[in-house]
C-alpha cells in the first residue's frame, strides 16, 4: 500500500473540507464527528498498510509504479506525485526543481503511526468532550482538527524541505485557529489575556523560529544545489564544517519554536486556552514533535556539525530543568502538564544533541502515549468538575471517577519513568546516551527526571488523593466521563504501559534484539551517520547500573512529593513562606513573560507608537501640507481667475456694452434727428475753427 501514501494526508484534508463547508448547515453533530473520526481512522489503517509494505519492499515490483523510487539499503520508498517548483538552472547548469513527493522510511513510519493512531483516539474522545458545543462551533472544531492532522502528516511524509515546510507552516496556522477557538472568551483574568491573544502569541512566536528554518533551508540549497532531503544529506560530508554548523543552528532555531525550547517556549503554556483535546493533540502527537522530528531527520547534518549538536544538547537539558522547576508551583492542572511537555521535549532534544537520535524518537513515541493520556485524563477531571482546573480545589477524586483515576495512574507512572512503564525505557535510553557524552548533560537529564517525578506526584495526589476541596455544587454534578471518552483513555493506558517494550535495551534482555533500534538503524546509518552514533565501548553492567540510579531518583521524587502533599502538607506551606522569593519566582515562571514584555514588547510598542506618530505628524503632515498648499493655490487661482482674468474680460464687455448703449441712443432711425445732429455738428466744428483762427 506504499503507492497510497498520497491518500494519508488527503483523507483528513477531505474531512476538513466536508465539515468546514457542509457541517455547520447540512450535517448533524453525529455526522460531523463521524466524518472527522473516519478520515483519521482510515488514514491510520492506510498508514498501517504502508508500514507493512515498507517491511516487504521489493525494488523490482515497486519500480514499475509511476513516480515510485525504492532504496532497499536505506529501507525507503519515495513517491513523486508531480513537479511543484521549477527554479531554473544552478551555476553548474543543473535543473533546480522541487517535486511534491512523499517518502516513507522507518522514521516517518513511526511518526505516521503515532500521529494517526494517537490522533484517532483524540478525535474519538473529542466527540464526547465537545458534545455540548453549538453545531457551528462543533463543525468548526473538527474541521480545524482534521486540517491539523493533514498538515502534520504532510510534514512527516515530505521528501523535500519545501514540502516539509508547507506542513510546518500548516500546523502553525492550525495551532493559531485551535488555541484561539474560544476567541470571544477570557483565558487569564490576571494578565487579561484572551484566548485569541493566546493564539496570536503562539503564531507570532513560531514565526520567529520559522525564519530560522527558512534561512537554513536556503543555505542548504545554496550549498548543495538541491532541496531534496536525501540529496542534501548525501552531500553534507563534502560541505565545510562552518556551513553545516550554520545550517544546523538555523534549523534548530525553527525547532526551538515548534518544540518550545528556550527561548521560544513561552507560547506552549498559553496554548492551554484551547479545548483540552487540542492540548492533547498539540502536546502529544503533532506540532511540538515537529522540531524533534526535523532534527532527527537531518541527523547526518548535525553529526557533521559538532558545535551545533552541543548547542542542541545544552539547550535541551536546560529546557528540561527550567520547565520542570516551573512546574513545581503551578496550580492549573493543564499548565502543569504544559510545562511537563516543555521539559520532556527538552529531554528529547538532549537525546538528539548527544547523538542518541533513536532514543529521542523512542521518547517522542512513548511521550505521545502517556502525554495524550495525561491531557485527556485532565480533560475528564475538568469535565467531571464542570470546568474547574485549579488543583487546589480538587482532591479525593479517585473515589468518584475510578476509570479516569486508574488510567491517569498509568500515565503518571509512565512519565515518572517507573519500570516497566513506557517512559522508563525511553528516558533511560536518553540518559545512557548523555552519560556517554558528558556527566554534566546526564546530570541535567537526571535532574529534570527528578523534578518531573516530584511535580507530577504533587499533581496526582492533589487531584485524586486526600480530602475533597471542591464545593457542594461541584460534588452534586460530579460524574465519570461517558464511554466515548473512557475508551480512548483505556487504549492509551495500555500503550503507556507496553509501548516501551519495543525498545528494551539488550543490557537487560540478553539475546533479545532491541526491535526499535534495529528498525531505525537504516535511517541513522545512512550517509555514514551510523559510525558516529555507535559508542566506542558498551558496558551492559554500567547501563543497568545507571537505570537503577535513574529509577531511584524517580522514586525519591515520588516519595518526597508523597511526604510533602499527603503525609505532611504543612511542609510545602512553610517552605513557601521561608523561601517566599524563590516561590514567587517559580510561581510566576521566572518572570519570563514579564521580561519579554520589558525587553521585547515594550521597545516594540514604543517603536509602534513612534511609527504611528511619525506617520500621523510627518508623513500625514507632509501629505496634508501638500494638500493644504494645493488647496490654497487653487483658491488663489480661482480668485485670480474670477477677479482679474474674468474681471478684465467682463470690463471689456461692460465697456463695449456701455459704448453700444450710447451709440444705440444715437441710432434712432428718425431723419429729422439725424439732420439736427448734422447741423449741430457743423455748428460745433465751425465754432471751433473760428475760435482757433482768433487765437
Amino acid at each position: 500500500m506504499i503507492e497510497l501514501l498520497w491518500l494519508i494526508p488527503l483523507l483528513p484534508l477531505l474531512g476538513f473540507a466536508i465539515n468546514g463547508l457542509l457541517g455547520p448547515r447540512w450535517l448533524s453533530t453525529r455526522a460531523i464527528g463521524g466524518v472527522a473520526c473516519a478520515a483519521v481512522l482510515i488514514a491510520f489503517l492506510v498508514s498501517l498498510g504502508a508500514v507493512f509494505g515498507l517491511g516487504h519492499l521489493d525494488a523490482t515490483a515497486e519500480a514499475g509504479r509511476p513516480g515510485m523510487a525504492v532504496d532497499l539499503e536505506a529501507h525507503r520508498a519515495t513517491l513523486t506525485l508531480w513537479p511543484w517548483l521549477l527554479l531554473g538552472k544552478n551555476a553548474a547548469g543543473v535543473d533546480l526543481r522541487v517535486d511534491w513527493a512523499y517518502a516513507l522510511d522507518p522514521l516517518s513510519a513511526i511518526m505516521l503511526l503515532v500521529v494517526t493512531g494517537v490522533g484517532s483516539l483524540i478525535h474519538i474522545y473529542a466527540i464526547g468532550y465537545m458534545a455540548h458545543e453549538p453545531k457551528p462551533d462543533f463543525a468548526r472544531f473538527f474541521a480545524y482538527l482534521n486540517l491539523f492532522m493533514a498538515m502534520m502528516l504532510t510534514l512527516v511524509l515530505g521528501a523535500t524541505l519545501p514540502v516539509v515546510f508547507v506542513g510546518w507552516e500548516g500546523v502553525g496556522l492550525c495551532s493559531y485557529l485551535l488555541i484561539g477557538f474560544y476567541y470571544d472568551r477570557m483565558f487569564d483574568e490576571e494578565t487579561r489575556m484572551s484566548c485569541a491573544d493566546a493564539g496570536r502569541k503562539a503564531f507570532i512566536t513560531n514565526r520567529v523560529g520559522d525564519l530560522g528554518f527558512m534561512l537554513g533551508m536556503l543555505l542548504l540549497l545554496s550549498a548543495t544545489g538541491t532541496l531534496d532531503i536525501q540529496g542534501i544529506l548525501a552531500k553534507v560530508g563534502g560541505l565545510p564544517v562552518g556551513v553545516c554548523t550554520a545550517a544546523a543552528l538555523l534549523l534548530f532555531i525553527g525547532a526551538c519554536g515548534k518544540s518550545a525550547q528556550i527561548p521560544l517556549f513561552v507560547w506552549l503554556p498559553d496554548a492551554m486556552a484551547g479545548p483540552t483535546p487540542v492540548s492533547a493533540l498539540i502536546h502529544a502527537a503533532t506540532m511540538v514533535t515537529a522540531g524533534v522530528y526535523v532534527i532527527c531527520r537531518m541527523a547526518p547534518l548535525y553529526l557533521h556539525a559538532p558545535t551545533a549538536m552541543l548547542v542542541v544538547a545544552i539547550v535541551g537539558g536546560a529546557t528540561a530543568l527550567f520547565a520542570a522547576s516551573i512546574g513545581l508551583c503551578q496550580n492549573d492542572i493543564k499548565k502543569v502538564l504544559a510545562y511537563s511537555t516543555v521539559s520532556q521535549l527538552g529531554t528529547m532534544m538532549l537525546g538528539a544533541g548527544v547523538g542518541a537520535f533513536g532514543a529521542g524518537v523512542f521518547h517522542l513515541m512513548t511521550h505521545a502515549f502517556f502525554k495524550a493520556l495525561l491531557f485527556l485524563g485532565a480533560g475528564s477531571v475538568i469535565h467531571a468538575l464542570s470546568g474547574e482546573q485549579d488543583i487546589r480545589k480538587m482532591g479525593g477524586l479517585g473515589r468518584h471517577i475510578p476509570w479516569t483515576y486508574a488510567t491517569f495512574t498509568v500515565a503518571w507512572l509512565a512519565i515518572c519513568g517507573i519500570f516497566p512503564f513506557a517512559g522508563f525505557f525511553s528516558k533511560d535510553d536518553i540518559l545512557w546516551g548523555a552519560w556517554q557524552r558528558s556527566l554534566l548533560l546526564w546530570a541535567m537529564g537526571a535532574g529534570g527526571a527528578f523534578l518531573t517525578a516530584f511535580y507530577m506526584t504533587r499533581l496526582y495526589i492533589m487531584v485524586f488523593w486526600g480530602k475533597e476541596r471542591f464545593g457542594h455544587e461541584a460534588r452534586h454534578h460530579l460524574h465519570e466521563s461517558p464511554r466515548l471518552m473512557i475508551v480512548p483513555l483505556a487504549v492509551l493506558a495500555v500503550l503507556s504501559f507496553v509501548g516501551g517494550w519495543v525498545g528494551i535495551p539488550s543490557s537487560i534482555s540478553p539475546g533479545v534484539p532491541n526491535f526499535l533500534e534495529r528498525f531505525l538503524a537504516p535511517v541513522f546509518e545512512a550517509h555514514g551517520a551510523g559510525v558516529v552514533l555507535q559508542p566506542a565501548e558498551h558496558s551492559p553492567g554500567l547501563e543497568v547500573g545507571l537505570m537503577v540510579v535513574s529509577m531511584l531518583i524517580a522514586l525519591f521524587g515520588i516519595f518526597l512529593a508523597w511526604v510533602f502533599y499527603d503525609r505532611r502538607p504543612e511542609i510545602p506551606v512553610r517552605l513557601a513562606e521561608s523561601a517566599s522569593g524563590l516561590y514567587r519566582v517559580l510561581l510566576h515562571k521566572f518572570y519570563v513573560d514579564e521580561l519579554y514584555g520589558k525587553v521585547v514588547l515594550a521597545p516594540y510598542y514604543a517603536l509602534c507608537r513612534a511609527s504611528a506618530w511619525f506617520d500621523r505628524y510627518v508623513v500625514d503632515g507632509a501629505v496634508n501640507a501638500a494638500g493644504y498648499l494645493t488647496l490654497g493655490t487653487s483658491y488663489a487661482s480661482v480668485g485670480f481667475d474670477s477677479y482679474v482674468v474674468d474681471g478684465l474680460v467682463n470690463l471689456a464687455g461692460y465697456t463695449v456694452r456701455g459704448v453700444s448703449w450710447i451709440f444705440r441712443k444715437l441710432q434712432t432711425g428718425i431723419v429729422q434727428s439725424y439732420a439736427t445732429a448734422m447741423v449741430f455738428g457743423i455748428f460745433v466744428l465751425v465754432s471751433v475753427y473760428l475760435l482757433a483762427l482768433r487765437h
Side-chain angles (χ1 to χ4, degrees), residues 397-418:
L397 289 176
R399 297 184 292 272
H400 301 281
I401 46 176
W403 279 100
T404 301
Y405 173 51
T407 54
F408 201 96
T409 301
V410 175
W412 163 61
L413 293 172
I415 195 174
C416 290
I418 303 302

Side-chain angles (χ1 to χ4, degrees), residues 125 129 276 333 374-391 393-395 397-398 401 404-405 408 459 462-464 478-481 485 489:
Y125 175 96
Y129 191 87
T276 299
I333 187 171
L374 286 168
F375 266 110
L376 298 186
S380 184
V381 169
I382 295 168
H383 183 268
L385 291 175
S386 304
E388 182 59 64
Q389 294 185 202
D390 192 335
I391 60 176
K393 298 177 181 179
M394 298 181 185
L397 289 176
I401 46 176
T404 301
Y405 173 51
F408 201 96
L459 179 146
M462 293 185 70
V463 171
F464 295 105
L478 191 59
H479 59 284
E480 181 63 279
S481 297
M485 295 169 64
L489 294 181

